[in-house]
């Protein structure tokens, strides 16, 4: 605790030292027109990512943003169906700026990302980064936020029915991926297979996906990558809005609805939301209804803050509740039908975050501190929980970012967390523990005429202490302490070979300390069909990853190819000890992963897009016999194809009207960890999907958006290689069958 208090005191000193800094006020105004006919464009987003301020154009295509700090920063101008404009603007010298919007074509989309080491253009990053845009999230049918992003190249999900998903990036998941929400890393005991991400998907405006250990801001556990979930930008000054939304999916009778109220009055900003989601048992043509796959979710989130010329300070509060059933997979001996399941979980996640950004000289100081409490209870059928975990986490982060500059960019900072876990039930899986983690990083970027070079280093320290526990007079958990440290870093470059062709290379070193489950678990893990045993002798994982890539853009076609090779020492995995029982223990070895993602978007005419992607991961352990050669939960090779036709691009009543036909083809996954029947080979399957959507306009403003979807239209019965229900008793359980959905979003300006 003394270390934690020292870090918190440092943050307070930083805040106090910068509270009086004022960059002076200014105003930026201008108008936005269409490149084709020169007419004003209504509803264009004018946004300053670093300042978290912005506005939209009015009926005449004009905009005005008042009370801006007089600094050099990045402006992002975006509108559906048009190319995004990203520029560096000096607000000390510029008070008026006009923009011309060009029709969207096959050019690679430009976007600002913040998850590497502060604000940067995604197309200027040597390490692989992809962004899921707001309108893509809106149109994607899903049961949770991970389900919504798992269709991106190189991204998959480990699922437990329809309500619980865990992200996988390039074959790595669990504690090797950091999920960032509300500006801090989400800590919800994500070591468990059936532990999802406790985030209300309605609050997520866009998602950044960082692939590989190149992100220096998040340290240990970011070995595979980072998912950065962004909330919606603050409202333009002097405005308020009420946003309503609802969605229905037929297969599980899923119904959700959300209400959002946001505003900005004289720099005082707020954003409050209430959401609820209910889903019954999903079904497929082989198993019928799947007992235990139902879930109930509700969430309340709120932000209250102030935006001034010195920066901003936002207080974010949230409560998330999830009650998922547990699929037990037992079948009637005579009929073979699944038997009812009375087991379920209750998950409560509370969070409070103070997110601050202060302008200091020509740069900015970010200072974030957050508290999370996660409580996870498992019930067999009674009202009293058996397993009952409670986890307290304090996150802290302070880093300095240099001002946007044409040639140089510098960032440095420290971050970490303190944790305390408790066992409150009478059944046990992991011991109670305390953890303290701290890390410091620095990065530097140099821009030349046709070359961008960036690199950085980070050093992490982690201390973990586990407490002993006796169960009926027998020692269940031993008292032990472990210390871990690791140096990580990355060095990369992007070379503009021509105005249309770029080449990328990046070398990164990752580090991950083993979690408490891997070190000390000893118990039945309900919902996973396993009895799990930890291994106190495990060492920290260390990886070296090489990324190579090229991208090409033109008005007719664009393409990307990204290759990676990753070698991990002390790779930790869970292996079944014997085919005769359900005991599994954590082991370690040397892992080698390599693979690639390819994307090609053909745009022969203005209204037609034909996009194809292919993802492949080869993940094996070295020096192992044939049945232990392949790493568990390796995604199958996947080809996706999407044909989209824009029926109306800029209509008076209907706008952005489109229809999209999609294929998801998963090839046979024969690389299974078959030792002691840990995994089995998964055959290939193809899913056919259909999506249509439109905005409804009134007086040039969007008054509603409607999306119609059909998933797995052929009602294909299949088992995903990353579905844990594949290993339920007997033949396993299939994934969801055919489902139709409708989503309606209604923004109401007040």
């Amino acid at each position: 605790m003394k270390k934690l208090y020292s870090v918190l005191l440092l943050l307070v000193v930083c805040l106090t030292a910068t509270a009086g800094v004022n960059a002076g006020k200014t105003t930026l105004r201008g108008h936005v027109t269409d490149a084709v006919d020169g007419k004003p464009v209504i509803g264009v987003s004018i946004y300053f990512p670093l300042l978290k301020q912005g506005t939209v154009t009015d009926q005449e295509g004009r905009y005005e943003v008042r009370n801006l700090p007089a600094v050099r920063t990045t402006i992002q101008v975006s509108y559906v169906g048009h190319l995004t404009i990203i520029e560096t603007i000096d607000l000390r010298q510029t008070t008026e700026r006009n923009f011309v919007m060009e029709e969207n074509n096959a050019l690679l989309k430009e976007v600002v990302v913040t998850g590497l080491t502060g604000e940067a253009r995604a197309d200027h990053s040597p390490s692989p980064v992809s962004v899921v845009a707001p309108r893509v999230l809106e149109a994607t049918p899903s049961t949770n936020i991970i389900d919504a992003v798992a269709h991106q190249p190189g991204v998959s999900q480990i699922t437990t029915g329809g309500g619980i998903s865990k992200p996988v990036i390039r074959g790595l998941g669990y504690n090797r991926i950091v999920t960032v929400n509300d500006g801090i890393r989400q800590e919800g005991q994500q070591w468990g297979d059936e532990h999802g991400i406790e985030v209300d998907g309605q609050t997520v405006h866009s998602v950044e996906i960082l692939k590989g250990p190149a992100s220096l801001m998040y340290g240990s556990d970011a070995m595979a990558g980072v998912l950065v979930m962004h909330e919606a930008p603050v409202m333009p000054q002097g405005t308020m809005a009420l946003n309503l939304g609802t969605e229905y999916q037929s297969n599980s009778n899923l119904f959700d609805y959300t209400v959002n109220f946001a505003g900005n009055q004289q720099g005082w900003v707020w954003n409050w939301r209430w959401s609820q989601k209910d889903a019954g048992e999903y079904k497929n043509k082989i198993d019928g209804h799947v007992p235990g796959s139902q879930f109930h979710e509700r969430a309340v989130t709120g932000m209250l803050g102030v935006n001034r010329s010195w920066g901003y300070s936002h207080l974010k509060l949230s409560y998330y509740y999830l009650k998922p059933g547990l699929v037990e997979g037992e079948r009637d001996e005579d009929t073979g039908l699944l038997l009812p399941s009375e087991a379920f979980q209750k998950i409560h996640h509370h969070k409070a975050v103070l997110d601050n950004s202060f302008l200091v000289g020509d740069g900015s100081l970010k200072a974030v501190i957050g508290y999370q409490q996660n409580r996870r209870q498992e019930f067999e059928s009674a009202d009293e929980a058996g397993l009952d975990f409670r986890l307290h986490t304090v996150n802290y982060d302070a880093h300095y970012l240099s001002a946007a500059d044409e040639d140089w960019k510098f960032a440095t900072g420290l971050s970490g967390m303190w944790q305390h876990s408790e066992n409150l039930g009478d059944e046990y899986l992991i011991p109670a523990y305390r953890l303290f983690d701290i890390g410091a990083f620095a990065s530097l970027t140099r821009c030349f005429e046709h070359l961008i070079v960036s690199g950085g280093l980070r050093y992490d320290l982690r201390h973990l202490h586990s407490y002993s526990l006796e169960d009926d007079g027998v020692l269940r958990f031993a008292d032990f302490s472990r210390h871990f440290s690791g140096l990580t870093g990355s060095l990369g470059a992007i070379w503009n070979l021509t105005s249309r062709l770029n080449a990328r290379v990046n070398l990164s070193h990752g580090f991950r300390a083993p979690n408490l489950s891997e070190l000390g678990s000893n118990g039945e893990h309900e919902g996973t069909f396993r009895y799990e045993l930890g291994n106190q002798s495990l060492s920290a994982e260390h990886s070296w990853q090489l990324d190579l890539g090229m991208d090409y853009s033109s008005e007719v076609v664009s393409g990307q190819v990204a290759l990676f090779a990753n070698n991990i020492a002390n790779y930790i995995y869970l292996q079944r000890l014997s085919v005769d029982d359900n005991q599994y223990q954590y082991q370690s070895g040397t892992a080698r992963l390599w693979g690639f993602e390819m994307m090609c978007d053909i745009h022969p005419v203005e209204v037609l897009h034909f996009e194809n992607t292919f993802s492949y991961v080869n993940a094996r352990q070295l020096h192992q016999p044939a049945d232990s050669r392949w790493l568990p939960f390796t995604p199958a090779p996947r080809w996706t194809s999407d044909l989209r036709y824009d029926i109306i691009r800029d209509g008076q009543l209907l706008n952005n009207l489109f229809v999209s036909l999609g294929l998801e083809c998963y090839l046979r996954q024969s690389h299974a960890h078959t030792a002691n029947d840990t995994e089995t080979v998964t055959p290939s399957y193809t899913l056919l999907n259909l999506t249509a959507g439109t905005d409804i306009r009134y007086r040039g403003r969007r008054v509603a958006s409607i999306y119609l979807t059909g998933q797995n239209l052929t009602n294909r019965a299949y088992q995903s290689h990353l579905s844990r229900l594949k290993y339920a008793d007997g033949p396993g359980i299939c994934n969801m069958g055919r489902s139709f959905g409708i989503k309606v979003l209604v923004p109401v300006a007040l």
Side-chain angles (χ1 to χ4, degrees), residues 230 267 441 533 668 724:
H230 293 290
F441 78 91
L533 298 170
R668 173 183 170 88
R724 293 193 312 100

Side-chain angles (χ1 to χ4, degrees), residues 189-257:
Q189 310 186 62
Q190 57 266 48
W191 43 267
D193 281 65
E194 84 289 19
H195 300 183
I197 305 297
E198 298 86 358
V199 174
D200 176 17
Q202 302 285 0
T203 66
V204 180
H205 182 68
S206 63
V207 180
E208 295 174 21
I209 304 171
L210 316 181
K211 303 172 186 177
S215 177
L216 303 174
M217 295 176 65
Y218 304 107
S220 178
D221 303 343
M223 175 177 287
V226 183
L227 295 181
V228 184
M229 300 179 181
H230 293 290
E231 70 273 23
V234 300
M235 295 288 293
Q237 192 166 149
T239 62
M240 296 186 295
L242 181 69
N243 298 290
L244 310 174
T246 186
E247 181 178 7
Y248 174 77
Q249 296 179 18
S250 65
N251 185 282
S252 61
N253 286 319
L254 182 149
F255 180 65
D256 73 34
Y257 43 93

Side-chain angles (χ1 to χ4, degrees), residues 113-120 178 180 183-185 208 210 213-220 222 226 228 230 366 368 396-401 409 411-416 437-443 456-460 488 490:
V113 297
T114 60
L116 289 165
T117 48
E119 179 187 89
V178 169
V180 178
I184 61 174
R185 54 186 290 168
E208 295 174 21
L210 316 181
S215 177
L216 303 174
M217 295 176 65
Y218 304 107
S220 178
V226 183
V228 184
H230 293 290
K366 285 276 292 181
V368 182
Y396 57 90
D397 172 32
H399 60 267
Y400 176 79
L401 306 173
K409 181 182 177 183
T412 185
L414 60 86
S415 62
D437 177 283
I438 189 170
F441 78 91
S443 69
L457 293 172
R458 180 185 175 99
Y459 186 72
D460 283 279
T488 58
S490 67

Side-chain angles (χ1 to χ4, degrees), residues 290-453:
V290 178
S293 60
Q294 73 280 358
F295 65 92
H296 169 73
E297 173 187 301
R298 67 174 181 263
V300 180
T301 59
M303 183 274 286
L304 179 64
V306 58
N307 282 38
R308 292 288 187 264
S309 60
W310 46 260
Y312 63 83
S313 180
H314 296 167
L315 175 64
K316 306 172 184 177
L317 304 172
S318 65
Y319 168 68
Y320 176 91
Y321 171 76
L322 178 66
K323 183 183 177 182
L326 290 178
V327 180
E328 297 182 310
E330 298 178 354
R331 296 180 182 268
D332 185 280
E333 293 183 359
D334 297 326
T335 65
L337 296 176
L338 290 166
L339 296 174
S341 172
E342 297 182 355
F344 62 94
Q345 295 182 338
K346 287 184 178 180
I347 298 99
H348 305 264
H349 195 89
H350 301 81
K351 186 192 301 183
V353 179
L354 185 61
D355 182 4
N356 306 277
S357 179
F358 301 97
L359 298 173
V360 181
D362 290 330
S364 64
L365 175 68
K366 285 276 292 181
V368 182
I369 185 168
Y371 169 75
Q372 302 176 74
Q373 182 189 115
N374 182 277
R375 187 170 185 180
R376 182 177 298 273
Q377 301 169 297
E378 294 183 355
F379 299 80
E380 286 300 315
S381 60
D383 293 333
E384 185 175 351
L387 287 170
D388 192 348
F389 306 115
R390 184 165 63 189
L391 176 66
H392 306 268
T393 303
V394 176
N395 305 88
Y396 57 90
D397 172 32
H399 60 267
Y400 176 79
L401 306 173
S402 63
D405 187 270
E406 297 296 336
D407 298 325
W408 293 94
K409 181 182 177 183
F410 173 74
T412 185
L414 60 86
S415 62
M417 63 181 178
W418 170 88
Q419 284 188 333
H420 172 50
S421 176
E422 305 169 273
N423 276 314
L424 304 178
D426 54 12
E427 297 179 14
Y428 313 102
L429 174 59
I430 62 171
Y433 70 94
R434 290 185 184 272
L435 177 149
F436 180 77
D437 177 283
I438 189 170
F441 78 91
S443 69
L444 185 66
T445 300
R446 176 70 166 95
C447 298
F448 300 93
E449 184 177 0
H450 299 290
L451 181 69
I452 300 174
V453 180

Side-chain angles (χ1 to χ4, degrees), residues 396-661:
Y396 57 90
D397 172 32
H399 60 267
Y400 176 79
L401 306 173
S402 63
D405 187 270
E406 297 296 336
D407 298 325
W408 293 94
K409 181 182 177 183
F410 173 74
T412 185
L414 60 86
S415 62
M417 63 181 178
W418 170 88
Q419 284 188 333
H420 172 50
S421 176
E422 305 169 273
N423 276 314
L424 304 178
D426 54 12
E427 297 179 14
Y428 313 102
L429 174 59
I430 62 171
Y433 70 94
R434 290 185 184 272
L435 177 149
F436 180 77
D437 177 283
I438 189 170
F441 78 91
S443 69
L444 185 66
T445 300
R446 176 70 166 95
C447 298
F448 300 93
E449 184 177 0
H450 299 290
L451 181 69
I452 300 174
V453 180
S454 64
L457 293 172
R458 180 185 175 99
Y459 186 72
D460 283 279
L461 293 171
R462 175 170 289 187
H463 170 73
L464 184 150
H465 180 80
S466 172
Y467 294 96
S468 63
L469 183 144
E470 289 190 356
D471 186 13
D472 293 332
V474 178
L475 184 65
R476 181 69 170 272
F477 301 112
D479 189 279
F480 68 90
S481 295
R482 294 293 306 272
H483 301 268
F484 302 97
S485 62
L487 180 68
T488 58
S490 67
L491 178 63
I494 176 169
W495 184 18
N496 304 125
L497 298 171
T498 70
S499 60
R500 300 184 182 275
L501 182 64
N502 296 320
R504 307 166 189 267
V505 60
N506 194 77
L507 179 66
S508 51
H509 179 55
F511 155 78
R512 185 184 77 90
N515 60 53
L516 199 279
S517 175
E518 295 165 335
L519 293 169
S521 60
N522 182 10
E524 184 76 27
H525 198 162
E526 296 293 341
T528 68
F529 322 113
R530 297 194 301 249
Y531 190 100
E532 297 181 4
L533 298 170
N535 185 345
Q536 294 183 25
S537 65
L538 295 173
S539 300
E541 296 179 343
H542 293 270
S543 71
W544 285 98
Q545 178 164 314
L546 176 66
D547 287 280
L548 299 172
M550 298 194 73
D551 56 73
Y552 173 80
S553 299
S554 73
E555 289 79 5
V556 177
V557 63
S558 68
Q560 286 182 323
V561 59
L563 301 89
F564 68 92
N566 190 2
N567 191 85
I568 305 176
N570 305 318
Y571 177 84
I572 301 170
Y573 64 98
L574 194 61
Q575 179 170 292
R576 195 173 186 175
L577 296 180
S578 170
V579 73
D580 298 324
D581 58 40
N582 256 4
Q583 283 200 347
Y584 290 72
Q585 187 171 38
Y586 288 96
Q587 313 284 352
S588 66
T590 301
R592 184 217 63 194
L593 298 92
W594 64 269
F596 60 89
E597 297 104 40
M598 299 178 64
M599 185 277 289
C600 181
D601 184 7
I602 302 173
H603 183 70
V605 294
E606 180 182 324
V607 296
L608 189 66
H609 276 271
F610 184 45
E611 182 174 318
N612 291 267
T613 69
F614 188 81
S615 304
Y616 176 79
V617 178
N618 182 296
R620 62 175 298 174
Q621 295 190 88
L622 304 182
H623 319 300
Q624 293 289 328
D627 59 355
S628 302
R629 178 183 305 165
W630 306 109
L631 297 186
F633 283 125
T634 299
R638 182 181 66 189
W639 166 53
T640 66
S641 183
D642 185 79
L643 181 63
R644 173 182 169 126
Y645 178 62
D646 293 326
I647 303 171
I648 300 176
R649 294 291 295 271
D650 191 14
Q652 294 298 316
L653 176 62
L654 300 180
N655 186 39
N656 300 313
L657 175 63
F658 74 93
V659 61
S660 175
L661 181 66

